[in-house]
Amino acid sequence: MTAAKTVAFHTLGCKLNFSETSTIARMMEKEGFEKRQFEEAADVYVINTCSVTDNADKECRQLVRRIQRRSPESLVVITGCYAQLKPQEIASIPGVDLVLGAAEKFNIAHHLRELSKGDSGKICSCDIEQVSGFNSSFSLNDRTRTFLKVQDGCDYNCSFCTIPMARGKSRSDTISKVTSHAHQLAAAGVKEIVLTGINLGDFGKGEFGDIKHGETFFGLIQALEEVEGIERYRISSIEPNLLSSDIIRFVAQSRRFMPHFHVPLQSGSDKILGMMRRRYRKDLYRERVEEIKSLMPHAAIGVDVIVGFPGETADDFRETMDFLHGLDVSYLHVFTYSERDNTRALELKPVVPVTVRHERNKMLRNLSYMKMQYFTKLHEGQTRKVLFESQNKNGMIEGYTDNYIKITTPYRREWINGIVEWKL
Ligand code: SF4
């Protein structure tokens, strides 16, 4: 390797990717690299890709072109989900020097030692079936809220999803390791941890995907509650069939777990849920929401929904709209279905025209806006605790209440990473 000493990162996609990039950066710093901002000149650029984003390929090409214009001599490494799924495609992008699959992404420094510019598009990847082992990750100093990865991979096989192919089988950290990370983060001054995973509720499968340590997600949150110094936890997302009454009741009386849930629904039509191979039907989803709201009327509930899935008729979509309309949830994350190679959904018919998919997306985004407005209004006049973040955004500072209402107010340095009683 040439004298590569500085490294810059760019992350696409989810919170898990952010926490992994953060960990890879720390590992490389230990190996003697100095971290740079992505916009600065660096000897090595690492792009951590996502397979869920539309145009992953286009985005990746654009980023590589930008790097080439700025520093044509630097090495470009592509890793992450998209790199695992489409290594050849990525390797053929001009300017890419190294493509690292899921098993190799925490090994970048080692691979760099054996690489020089011009080794065009070297691929280090293996079949996803062989990917095992769990790499703990958390983001530190990147955000006030820290994303702590406790689980990876997924054993479900939803018909639209490529994640199991990109990340492999479900496996998790142990409770003792997670709590030890939480202690470490508390000592570093972190106030809020977002527990992150691909299928969080499935926590408990061992490092190699076996059910060896017999621990559960419920056990994990009980142990984390005891960690002094961490004032807030959030559960990034949990499948409705795994969100048990035990978990809901625990959060309702917890001092540290925030009244905030993010629960993927994907469709309000049982027919479509079946075609998606989801493991619940809408009645169960409704029950989960009602249980949360009966114990925590102030809780925020976020919902993922996919529109335009093959076979989704106007009536099916209407059913989803009506279901969400009547559900006491606070905001929606709306995704437009798009075809993914090697998924079962590709065989389903009829395909929904792209323009219709976009119209449906817009309708649900409008509904989400109304839900969020309503939820915020409902809490007007109340005093809630806000954790302020560090960025100065044009003279403003931002923070979130316990129940995830965003507050923007003129910047005050002394509020950074502090919890402030706030009248809404
Ligand atoms: S639960 Fe379904 S959507 Fe989520 S990662 Fe697993 S297969 Fe994909």
PDB file of all heavy atoms in Angstrom, residues 153-164 197-199 239 241-242 264 266 276-279 306, ligand 1:
ATOM      1  N   GLY A 153     -28.687  -9.154  10.908  1.00  0.00           N
ATOM      2  CA  GLY A 153     -29.256 -10.207  10.075  1.00  0.00           C
ATOM      3  C   GLY A 153     -30.716 -10.502  10.381  1.00  0.00           C
ATOM      4  O   GLY A 153     -31.297  -9.963  11.324  1.00  0.00           O
ATOM      5  N   CYS A 154     -31.320 -11.393   9.553  1.00  0.00           N
ATOM      6  CA  CYS A 154     -32.743 -11.685   9.740  1.00  0.00           C
ATOM      7  C   CYS A 154     -33.080 -13.063   9.192  1.00  0.00           C
ATOM      8  O   CYS A 154     -32.631 -13.435   8.117  1.00  0.00           O
ATOM      9  CB  CYS A 154     -33.570 -10.617   9.015  1.00  0.00           C
ATOM     10  SG  CYS A 154     -35.325 -10.833   9.259  1.00  0.00           S
ATOM     11  N   ASP A 155     -33.866 -13.824   9.982  1.00  0.00           N
ATOM     12  CA  ASP A 155     -34.282 -15.161   9.545  1.00  0.00           C
ATOM     13  C   ASP A 155     -35.671 -15.154   8.918  1.00  0.00           C
ATOM     14  O   ASP A 155     -36.192 -16.211   8.565  1.00  0.00           O
ATOM     15  CB  ASP A 155     -34.287 -16.132  10.741  1.00  0.00           C
ATOM     16  CG  ASP A 155     -32.887 -16.399  11.248  1.00  0.00           C
ATOM     17  OD1 ASP A 155     -31.932 -16.128  10.488  1.00  0.00           O
ATOM     18  OD2 ASP A 155     -32.739 -16.857  12.394  1.00  0.00           O
ATOM     19  N   TYR A 156     -36.310 -14.011   8.845  1.00  0.00           N
ATOM     20  CA  TYR A 156     -37.613 -13.933   8.195  1.00  0.00           C
ATOM     21  C   TYR A 156     -37.358 -13.908   6.691  1.00  0.00           C
ATOM     22  O   TYR A 156     -36.228 -13.697   6.243  1.00  0.00           O
ATOM     23  CB  TYR A 156     -38.366 -12.663   8.621  1.00  0.00           C
ATOM     24  CG  TYR A 156     -38.891 -12.696  10.047  1.00  0.00           C
ATOM     25  CD1 TYR A 156     -38.492 -13.669  10.954  1.00  0.00           C
ATOM     26  CD2 TYR A 156     -39.808 -11.741  10.476  1.00  0.00           C
ATOM     27  CE1 TYR A 156     -38.987 -13.684  12.253  1.00  0.00           C
ATOM     28  CE2 TYR A 156     -40.308 -11.742  11.765  1.00  0.00           C
ATOM     29  CZ  TYR A 156     -39.888 -12.713  12.652  1.00  0.00           C
ATOM     30  OH  TYR A 156     -40.373 -12.721  13.936  1.00  0.00           O
ATOM     31  N   ASN A 157     -38.429 -14.104   5.928  1.00  0.00           N
ATOM     32  CA  ASN A 157     -38.206 -14.005   4.480  1.00  0.00           C
ATOM     33  C   ASN A 157     -39.338 -13.247   3.811  1.00  0.00           C
ATOM     34  O   ASN A 157     -40.056 -13.782   2.982  1.00  0.00           O
ATOM     35  CB  ASN A 157     -37.979 -15.381   3.844  1.00  0.00           C
ATOM     36  CG  ASN A 157     -38.995 -16.374   4.346  1.00  0.00           C
ATOM     37  OD1 ASN A 157     -39.999 -15.973   4.953  1.00  0.00           O
ATOM     38  ND2 ASN A 157     -38.781 -17.644   4.096  1.00  0.00           N
ATOM     39  N   CYS A 158     -39.477 -11.993   4.208  1.00  0.00           N
ATOM     40  CA  CYS A 158     -40.483 -11.129   3.602  1.00  0.00           C
ATOM     41  C   CYS A 158     -40.178 -11.063   2.099  1.00  0.00           C
ATOM     42  O   CYS A 158     -39.014 -10.947   1.713  1.00  0.00           O
ATOM     43  CB  CYS A 158     -40.443  -9.738   4.230  1.00  0.00           C
ATOM     44  SG  CYS A 158     -40.707  -9.812   6.009  1.00  0.00           S
ATOM     45  N   SER A 159     -41.245 -11.122   1.289  1.00  0.00           N
ATOM     46  CA  SER A 159     -41.014 -11.375  -0.133  1.00  0.00           C
ATOM     47  C   SER A 159     -40.401 -10.199  -0.882  1.00  0.00           C
ATOM     48  O   SER A 159     -39.956 -10.349  -2.010  1.00  0.00           O
ATOM     49  CB  SER A 159     -42.327 -11.800  -0.794  1.00  0.00           C
ATOM     50  OG  SER A 159     -43.293 -10.790  -0.645  1.00  0.00           O
ATOM     51  N   PHE A 160     -40.387  -9.013  -0.260  1.00  0.00           N
ATOM     52  CA  PHE A 160     -39.844  -7.838  -0.962  1.00  0.00           C
ATOM     53  C   PHE A 160     -38.409  -7.518  -0.554  1.00  0.00           C
ATOM     54  O   PHE A 160     -37.792  -6.611  -1.079  1.00  0.00           O
ATOM     55  CB  PHE A 160     -40.708  -6.602  -0.649  1.00  0.00           C
ATOM     56  CG  PHE A 160     -40.900  -6.372   0.821  1.00  0.00           C
ATOM     57  CD1 PHE A 160     -39.937  -5.728   1.569  1.00  0.00           C
ATOM     58  CD2 PHE A 160     -42.044  -6.844   1.464  1.00  0.00           C
ATOM     59  CE1 PHE A 160     -40.102  -5.540   2.931  1.00  0.00           C
ATOM     60  CE2 PHE A 160     -42.214  -6.660   2.828  1.00  0.00           C
ATOM     61  CZ  PHE A 160     -41.251  -6.015   3.562  1.00  0.00           C
ATOM     62  N   CYS A 161     -37.866  -8.271   0.414  1.00  0.00           N
ATOM     63  CA  CYS A 161     -36.698  -7.776   1.147  1.00  0.00           C
ATOM     64  C   CYS A 161     -35.401  -8.482   0.756  1.00  0.00           C
ATOM     65  O   CYS A 161     -35.354  -9.703   0.659  1.00  0.00           O
ATOM     66  CB  CYS A 161     -36.947  -7.962   2.640  1.00  0.00           C
ATOM     67  SG  CYS A 161     -35.645  -7.265   3.645  1.00  0.00           S
ATOM     68  N   THR A 162     -34.361  -7.685   0.571  1.00  0.00           N
ATOM     69  CA  THR A 162     -33.047  -8.256   0.226  1.00  0.00           C
ATOM     70  C   THR A 162     -32.112  -8.302   1.437  1.00  0.00           C
ATOM     71  O   THR A 162     -30.998  -8.797   1.335  1.00  0.00           O
ATOM     72  CB  THR A 162     -32.353  -7.405  -0.853  1.00  0.00           C
ATOM     73  OG1 THR A 162     -32.327  -6.057  -0.393  1.00  0.00           O
ATOM     74  CG2 THR A 162     -33.048  -7.482  -2.186  1.00  0.00           C
ATOM     75  N   ILE A 163     -32.589  -7.791   2.566  1.00  0.00           N
ATOM     76  CA  ILE A 163     -31.679  -7.673   3.716  1.00  0.00           C
ATOM     77  C   ILE A 163     -31.105  -9.019   4.172  1.00  0.00           C
ATOM     78  O   ILE A 163     -29.907  -9.124   4.422  1.00  0.00           O
ATOM     79  CB  ILE A 163     -32.371  -6.903   4.874  1.00  0.00           C
ATOM     80  CG1 ILE A 163     -32.512  -5.437   4.470  1.00  0.00           C
ATOM     81  CG2 ILE A 163     -31.565  -7.009   6.159  1.00  0.00           C
ATOM     82  CD1 ILE A 163     -33.283  -4.586   5.448  1.00  0.00           C
ATOM     83  N   PRO A 164     -31.936 -10.084   4.250  1.00  0.00           N
ATOM     84  CA  PRO A 164     -31.334 -11.364   4.659  1.00  0.00           C
ATOM     85  C   PRO A 164     -30.204 -11.803   3.708  1.00  0.00           C
ATOM     86  O   PRO A 164     -29.249 -12.430   4.139  1.00  0.00           O
ATOM     87  CB  PRO A 164     -32.515 -12.343   4.610  1.00  0.00           C
ATOM     88  CG  PRO A 164     -33.710 -11.477   4.837  1.00  0.00           C
ATOM     89  CD  PRO A 164     -33.405 -10.188   4.132  1.00  0.00           C
ATOM     90  N   GLY A 197     -30.871  -2.745  15.288  1.00  0.00           N
ATOM     91  CA  GLY A 197     -30.654  -4.075  14.725  1.00  0.00           C
ATOM     92  C   GLY A 197     -31.482  -4.192  13.464  1.00  0.00           C
ATOM     93  O   GLY A 197     -32.181  -3.253  13.076  1.00  0.00           O
ATOM     94  N   ILE A 198     -31.410  -5.344  12.819  1.00  0.00           N
ATOM     95  CA  ILE A 198     -32.242  -5.546  11.627  1.00  0.00           C
ATOM     96  C   ILE A 198     -33.594  -6.104  12.075  1.00  0.00           C
ATOM     97  O   ILE A 198     -34.634  -5.671  11.610  1.00  0.00           O
ATOM     98  CB  ILE A 198     -31.565  -6.533  10.651  1.00  0.00           C
ATOM     99  CG1 ILE A 198     -30.278  -5.909  10.086  1.00  0.00           C
ATOM    100  CG2 ILE A 198     -32.507  -6.946   9.543  1.00  0.00           C
ATOM    101  CD1 ILE A 198     -30.489  -4.723   9.188  1.00  0.00           C
ATOM    102  N   ASN A 199     -33.572  -7.059  12.974  1.00  0.00           N
ATOM    103  CA  ASN A 199     -34.807  -7.616  13.520  1.00  0.00           C
ATOM    104  C   ASN A 199     -34.607  -7.709  15.035  1.00  0.00           C
ATOM    105  O   ASN A 199     -34.363  -8.782  15.602  1.00  0.00           O
ATOM    106  CB  ASN A 199     -35.088  -8.995  12.888  1.00  0.00           C
ATOM    107  CG  ASN A 199     -36.477  -9.486  13.206  1.00  0.00           C
ATOM    108  OD1 ASN A 199     -37.120  -8.993  14.136  1.00  0.00           O
ATOM    109  ND2 ASN A 199     -36.945 -10.462  12.451  1.00  0.00           N
ATOM    110  N   GLU A 239     -40.621  -5.609  15.121  1.00  0.00           N
ATOM    111  CA  GLU A 239     -41.719  -6.257  14.400  1.00  0.00           C
ATOM    112  C   GLU A 239     -42.923  -6.413  15.336  1.00  0.00           C
ATOM    113  O   GLU A 239     -42.739  -6.800  16.505  1.00  0.00           O
ATOM    114  CB  GLU A 239     -41.280  -7.649  13.929  1.00  0.00           C
ATOM    115  CG  GLU A 239     -40.232  -7.636  12.842  1.00  0.00           C
ATOM    116  CD  GLU A 239     -40.792  -7.173  11.523  1.00  0.00           C
ATOM    117  OE1 GLU A 239     -41.726  -7.806  11.008  1.00  0.00           O
ATOM    118  OE2 GLU A 239     -40.301  -6.153  11.006  1.00  0.00           O
ATOM    119  N   ASN A 241     -45.180  -8.652  15.712  1.00  0.00           N
ATOM    120  CA  ASN A 241     -45.366  -9.977  16.313  1.00  0.00           C
ATOM    121  C   ASN A 241     -44.341 -10.257  17.411  1.00  0.00           C
ATOM    122  O   ASN A 241     -44.492 -11.193  18.182  1.00  0.00           O
ATOM    123  CB  ASN A 241     -45.298 -11.076  15.241  1.00  0.00           C
ATOM    124  CG  ASN A 241     -44.096 -10.930  14.336  1.00  0.00           C
ATOM    125  OD1 ASN A 241     -43.884  -9.874  13.759  1.00  0.00           O
ATOM    126  ND2 ASN A 241     -43.297 -11.966  14.217  1.00  0.00           N
ATOM    127  N   LEU A 242     -43.285  -9.443  17.485  1.00  0.00           N
ATOM    128  CA  LEU A 242     -42.270  -9.640  18.530  1.00  0.00           C
ATOM    129  C   LEU A 242     -42.385  -8.601  19.642  1.00  0.00           C
ATOM    130  O   LEU A 242     -41.671  -8.662  20.642  1.00  0.00           O
ATOM    131  CB  LEU A 242     -40.866  -9.602  17.911  1.00  0.00           C
ATOM    132  CG  LEU A 242     -40.594 -10.717  16.888  1.00  0.00           C
ATOM    133  CD1 LEU A 242     -39.247 -10.527  16.221  1.00  0.00           C
ATOM    134  CD2 LEU A 242     -40.658 -12.091  17.560  1.00  0.00           C
ATOM    135  N   PRO A 264     -43.051  -1.605  12.171  1.00  0.00           N
ATOM    136  CA  PRO A 264     -43.383  -1.737  10.755  1.00  0.00           C
ATOM    137  C   PRO A 264     -44.757  -2.378  10.555  1.00  0.00           C
ATOM    138  O   PRO A 264     -45.052  -3.390  11.192  1.00  0.00           O
ATOM    139  CB  PRO A 264     -42.293  -2.659  10.197  1.00  0.00           C
ATOM    140  CG  PRO A 264     -41.279  -2.805  11.256  1.00  0.00           C
ATOM    141  CD  PRO A 264     -41.906  -2.418  12.561  1.00  0.00           C
ATOM    142  N   GLN A 266     -46.313  -2.100   7.030  1.00  0.00           N
ATOM    143  CA  GLN A 266     -46.115  -2.383   5.588  1.00  0.00           C
ATOM    144  C   GLN A 266     -47.401  -2.377   4.791  1.00  0.00           C
ATOM    145  O   GLN A 266     -47.425  -1.829   3.705  1.00  0.00           O
ATOM    146  CB  GLN A 266     -45.355  -3.697   5.328  1.00  0.00           C
ATOM    147  CG  GLN A 266     -44.058  -3.885   6.128  1.00  0.00           C
ATOM    148  CD  GLN A 266     -43.052  -2.757   6.025  1.00  0.00           C
ATOM    149  OE1 GLN A 266     -43.389  -1.648   5.615  1.00  0.00           O
ATOM    150  NE2 GLN A 266     -41.809  -2.983   6.437  1.00  0.00           N
ATOM    151  N   MET A 276     -46.815 -10.497   1.156  1.00  0.00           N
ATOM    152  CA  MET A 276     -45.499  -9.999   1.599  1.00  0.00           C
ATOM    153  C   MET A 276     -44.785 -11.005   2.508  1.00  0.00           C
ATOM    154  O   MET A 276     -43.650 -10.815   2.861  1.00  0.00           O
ATOM    155  CB  MET A 276     -45.667  -8.691   2.382  1.00  0.00           C
ATOM    156  CG  MET A 276     -46.022  -7.489   1.552  1.00  0.00           C
ATOM    157  SD  MET A 276     -46.293  -6.066   2.667  1.00  0.00           S
ATOM    158  CE  MET A 276     -46.215  -4.716   1.496  1.00  0.00           C
ATOM    159  N   ARG A 277     -45.527 -12.055   2.914  1.00  0.00           N
ATOM    160  CA  ARG A 277     -45.008 -13.054   3.862  1.00  0.00           C
ATOM    161  C   ARG A 277     -44.665 -12.450   5.220  1.00  0.00           C
ATOM    162  O   ARG A 277     -43.672 -12.820   5.856  1.00  0.00           O
ATOM    163  CB  ARG A 277     -43.781 -13.767   3.302  1.00  0.00           C
ATOM    164  CG  ARG A 277     -44.077 -14.481   2.017  1.00  0.00           C
ATOM    165  CD  ARG A 277     -42.876 -15.231   1.516  1.00  0.00           C
ATOM    166  NE  ARG A 277     -43.329 -16.234   0.568  1.00  0.00           N
ATOM    167  CZ  ARG A 277     -42.983 -17.500   0.586  1.00  0.00           C
ATOM    168  NH1 ARG A 277     -42.163 -17.952   1.501  1.00  0.00           N
ATOM    169  NH2 ARG A 277     -43.442 -18.330  -0.304  1.00  0.00           N
ATOM    170  N   ARG A 278     -45.490 -11.488   5.625  1.00  0.00           N
ATOM    171  CA  ARG A 278     -45.302 -10.912   6.956  1.00  0.00           C
ATOM    172  C   ARG A 278     -45.900 -11.866   7.987  1.00  0.00           C
ATOM    173  O   ARG A 278     -46.790 -12.648   7.664  1.00  0.00           O
ATOM    174  CB  ARG A 278     -45.977  -9.527   7.031  1.00  0.00           C
ATOM    175  CG  ARG A 278     -45.438  -8.544   6.006  1.00  0.00           C
ATOM    176  CD  ARG A 278     -44.065  -8.047   6.332  1.00  0.00           C
ATOM    177  NE  ARG A 278     -44.069  -7.166   7.482  1.00  0.00           N
ATOM    178  CZ  ARG A 278     -42.961  -6.829   8.151  1.00  0.00           C
ATOM    179  NH1 ARG A 278     -41.783  -7.315   7.804  1.00  0.00           N
ATOM    180  NH2 ARG A 278     -43.021  -6.004   9.169  1.00  0.00           N
ATOM    181  N   ARG A 279     -45.422 -11.770   9.229  1.00  0.00           N
ATOM    182  CA  ARG A 279     -45.801 -12.788  10.225  1.00  0.00           C
ATOM    183  C   ARG A 279     -46.917 -12.343  11.165  1.00  0.00           C
ATOM    184  O   ARG A 279     -46.953 -12.728  12.317  1.00  0.00           O
ATOM    185  CB  ARG A 279     -44.572 -13.178  11.026  1.00  0.00           C
ATOM    186  CG  ARG A 279     -43.510 -13.769  10.121  1.00  0.00           C
ATOM    187  CD  ARG A 279     -42.519 -14.540  10.908  1.00  0.00           C
ATOM    188  NE  ARG A 279     -41.532 -15.142  10.020  1.00  0.00           N
ATOM    189  CZ  ARG A 279     -40.624 -16.003  10.388  1.00  0.00           C
ATOM    190  NH1 ARG A 279     -40.572 -16.390  11.648  1.00  0.00           N
ATOM    191  NH2 ARG A 279     -39.760 -16.496   9.534  1.00  0.00           N
ATOM    192  N   ILE A 306     -45.386   0.267   3.010  1.00  0.00           N
ATOM    193  CA  ILE A 306     -44.931   0.174   1.617  1.00  0.00           C
ATOM    194  C   ILE A 306     -46.150   0.344   0.713  1.00  0.00           C
ATOM    195  O   ILE A 306     -47.166  -0.317   0.931  1.00  0.00           O
ATOM    196  CB  ILE A 306     -44.286  -1.201   1.334  1.00  0.00           C
ATOM    197  CG1 ILE A 306     -43.023  -1.385   2.197  1.00  0.00           C
ATOM    198  CG2 ILE A 306     -43.943  -1.346  -0.148  1.00  0.00           C
ATOM    199  CD1 ILE A 306     -42.405  -2.776   2.096  1.00  0.00           C
TER     200      ILE A 306
HETATM  201  S1  SF4 B   1     -38.297  -8.760   8.977  1.00  0.00           S
HETATM  202 FE1  SF4 B   1     -38.736  -8.867   6.776  1.00  0.00          FE
HETATM  203  S2  SF4 B   1     -38.427  -6.734   6.078  1.00  0.00           S
HETATM  204 FE2  SF4 B   1     -37.382  -6.911   8.056  1.00  0.00          FE
HETATM  205  S3  SF4 B   1     -35.255  -7.459   7.499  1.00  0.00           S
HETATM  206 FE3  SF4 B   1     -36.367  -9.384   7.908  1.00  0.00          FE
HETATM  207  S4  SF4 B   1     -37.018 -10.046   5.878  1.00  0.00           S
HETATM  208 FE4  SF4 B   1     -36.500  -7.863   5.689  1.00  0.00          FE
END
